[in-house]
Amino acid sequence: MKIENILIEHFPRLKCANFFILFDQNFADVSSVRVHLRSMEIFVHFDNTHSTTIDLELLNINIQINSLSLLIAKDNLISFRINTASSFREEILPINVATTDVDTMKRLKLNVCTDMEFSIVCDNCSGPLTNLLRFRRILELPSENMDSNDWFCHKPDVRLCNGGNGSSSHHHQQLFNATSLIPNENDLLYGNFFALIHRSHIVNIHINSKHRMLHCKRCLSHIGECVSESAVKFWNGNVKFIQNIDAKISNRLFHDSNSLFQNFLIIVDRLTYDYRMLGRQTLKLLFEANTVKGTTFLFIQTMARNLELYQMNKQSNLNRATMMRVDGIKCLFLSEENTDPTLVNFWQKDVNVISAYISIGMLDATVEHLHILSKYVPEQFRINNGFCLSYLSKGIIINK
């Protein structure tokens, strides 16, 4: 029996830490498990024959050895709380922190640029979904929580719209809707891991007339949505692009596309950053994803953003486990296909709720990840009014 992973929540101001230790076997397979505390180490003994040491030196946590409480051992999880010896006689708070990394994270980077010739293909079968594309402008859409009327830079070039004279303002207004930000034929507009293009470019696509969903005609995979009579939306995780100069190379439209869940975390950071810029400290996030069966919702209520969170280092051996710091958000979440409409309406009317649309693939991947990470928390502490406790973190790893 060995430790699969360890998660530690440290609350220095409360002078306590929560420990969650996951094992690769059920406790029914061993006769005894004992936990011994020292100031900088924790010893876990199995059947009096094997022990694993959890090294806390890198965490700078001094634990009080007689303060263990809330000990729970069930299935393959041990959890407990201990008090820590922390002092706040002197504390240094960072000021004027460089924002380079933050700003970089907030900007979405595309793998395509203006005047590049490329076509968009289905991620599942590589079937072509568009004609050969070449855009004069590639612009980011405003956040769904911002006023799009202020984004005047997205209006088409009047000279290009009117044969170079720019005299017909009526014609200009017909070609561009400042409220809906519909692209013209020469524009590619993009948002949180989706791209909007003019409908005239698409080929080999079936449009569901009832739900306005886009499906590849070759394999029937869901690839996007029909936004209006003149614009379609492609989800980054469902399509790829191929350059005309080298048809063998295919990439995602967006540069940071490691996984759907990591892209979701970037969206969360971007949305909360927008609301902080507006002077709000939001605690609730509401995500919607459209399917042929209807709309699926994901409710997330954040509990702790700047949490000192640690997990077992991947380089740890069987006898000694070292810890490393990971970034994460502690939260409550709820996602059901048949969501209570009363709850949806209540959240949608709450001014402190951030709302956004994502792809159904991203929503499913996020819910799966949240359910996996919820296994760290004992069942009696996990559920609250139908919501489940979990973590939003790309650093925490657990076997499915």
Side-chain angles (χ1 to χ4, degrees):
M1 188 172 187
K2 66 178 182 178
I3 295 177
E4 183 178 284
N5 210 341
I6 304 167
L7 183 67
I8 302 175
E9 299 176 347
H10 183 214
F11 304 93
R13 294 184 178 275
L14 299 178
K15 299 185 178 181
C16 67
N18 295 328
F19 285 73
F20 305 100
I21 307 174
L22 284 172
F23 299 88
D24 64 342
Q25 298 179 35
N26 198 294
F27 291 141
D29 301 328
V30 297
S31 59
S32 66
V33 178
R34 294 188 299 168
V35 179
H36 296 277
L37 305 182
R38 290 187 180 178
S39 60
M40 297 297 292
E41 293 176 324
I42 295 177
F43 297 92
V44 182
H45 298 268
F46 312 97
D47 291 335
N48 296 321
T49 59
H50 173 68
S51 66
T52 298
T53 302
I54 302 175
D55 187 356
L56 305 179
E57 185 175 358
L58 294 178
L59 277 66
N60 194 25
I61 296 178
N62 292 313
I63 64 178
Q64 298 179 3
I65 59 177
N66 296 322
S67 64
L68 189 146
S69 62
L70 300 176
L71 176 63
I72 297 175
K74 186 178 180 181
D75 297 329
N76 65 334
L77 172 67
I78 288 181
S79 67
F80 54 88
R81 172 175 289 184
I82 58 175
N83 294 339
T84 60
S86 304
S87 175
F88 285 96
R89 294 180 178 178
E90 180 178 328
E91 182 179 12
I92 300 177
L93 298 177
I95 59 175
N96 299 326
V97 179
T99 59
T100 303
D101 295 337
V102 176
D103 292 341
T104 301
M105 176 187 64
K106 299 298 179 295
R107 299 192 186 101
L108 295 177
K109 298 179 180 179
L110 269 73
N111 284 320
V112 297
C113 58
T114 56
D115 295 328
M116 174 190 292
E117 285 192 339
F118 67 95
S119 59
I120 298 177
V121 300
C122 174
D123 178 61
N124 183 54
C125 68
S126 299
L129 304 174
T130 67
N131 296 312
L132 192 64
L133 302 174
R134 183 196 291 267
F135 293 108
R136 184 172 287 111
R137 301 192 313 164
I138 299 178
L139 300 172
E140 182 175 5
L141 286 164
S143 167
E144 296 168 16
N145 300 285
M146 298 293 186
D147 185 1
S148 59
N149 288 302
D150 293 335
W151 286 63
F152 52 85
C153 58
H154 287 62
K155 295 182 180 181
D157 191 325
V158 180
R159 293 168 298 178
L160 297 174
C161 296
N162 300 287
N165 54 36
S167 58
S168 176
S169 59
H170 175 70
H171 182 60
H172 178 200
Q173 188 171 358
Q174 282 186 325
L175 290 176
F176 182 78
N177 186 333
T179 302
S180 56
L181 293 178
I182 300 302
N184 65 10
E185 294 185 6
N186 297 317
D187 290 345
L188 184 150
L189 305 181
Y190 64 95
N192 287 324
F193 296 100
F194 67 84
L196 286 181
I197 66 171
H198 198 271
R199 188 168 172 174
S200 61
H201 298 303
I202 64 174
V203 295
N204 302 323
I205 290 179
H206 171 71
I207 301 177
N208 186 305
S209 58
K210 181 178 180 180
H211 303 284
R212 304 180 67 83
M213 310 296 291
L214 303 183
H215 298 274
C216 172
K217 276 190 175 180
R218 178 185 292 182
C219 66
L220 298 181
S221 294
H222 173 222
I223 54 175
E225 301 175 20
C226 187
V227 177
S228 69
E229 294 299 324
S230 59
V232 293
K233 174 192 293 186
F234 287 122
W235 293 112
N236 178 63
N238 301 67
V239 298
K240 291 183 178 180
F241 79 92
I242 297 178
Q243 293 189 46
N244 186 36
I245 58 175
D246 192 346
K248 295 181 180 180
I249 299 178
S250 63
N251 292 306
R252 297 288 183 193
L253 289 172
F254 291 85
H255 181 69
D256 299 317
S257 301
N258 297 322
S259 72
L260 291 173
F261 180 68
Q262 290 186 10
N263 291 345
F264 177 82
L265 293 180
I266 294 175
I267 294 176
V268 170
D269 287 332
R270 285 166 57 87
L271 293 177
T272 53
Y273 177 79
D274 288 341
Y275 260 51
R276 287 198 300 270
M277 291 293 290
L278 295 175
R280 301 178 182 178
Q281 295 296 325
T282 184
L283 295 175
K284 295 180 179 179
L285 305 169
L286 177 59
F287 296 94
E288 302 179 36
N290 295 323
T291 66
V292 292
K293 297 180 180 180
T295 303
T296 301
F297 294 90
L298 171 60
F299 305 83
I300 295 179
Q301 183 162 353
T302 59
M303 300 176 64
R305 287 188 56 84
N306 299 316
L307 181 65
E308 286 194 17
L309 201 61
Y310 302 88
Q311 77 157 4
M312 186 172 69
N313 197 311
K314 301 176 184 178
Q315 308 301 324
S316 300
N317 55 48
L318 182 62
N319 299 319
R320 192 170 190 84
T322 58
M323 307 301 297
M324 65 179 184
R325 178 76 179 265
V326 294
D327 294 326
I329 300 173
K330 191 174 183 178
C331 66
L332 291 168
F333 78 96
L334 172 65
S335 180
E336 299 175 349
E337 289 187 2
N338 298 319
T339 307
D340 182 3
T342 304
L343 179 62
V344 175
N345 293 333
F346 179 77
W347 276 56
Q348 288 177 338
K349 293 179 181 178
D350 190 341
V351 295
N352 293 314
V353 172
I354 303 177
S355 300
Y357 288 93
I358 59 176
S359 68
I360 187 61
M362 180 177 290
L363 188 144
D364 289 341
T366 301
V367 171
E368 180 185 13
H369 205 93
L370 287 168
H371 277 299
I372 292 173
L373 295 185
S374 70
K375 296 178 181 179
Y376 280 100
V377 185
E379 187 175 357
Q380 51 265 58
F381 302 137
R382 190 186 308 166
I383 306 298
N384 185 0
N385 292 328
F387 282 73
C388 185
L389 184 66
S390 187
Y391 304 89
L392 284 171
S393 173
K394 63 181 178 181
I396 305 175
I397 299 175
I398 179 177
N399 295 329
K400 299 183 180 180

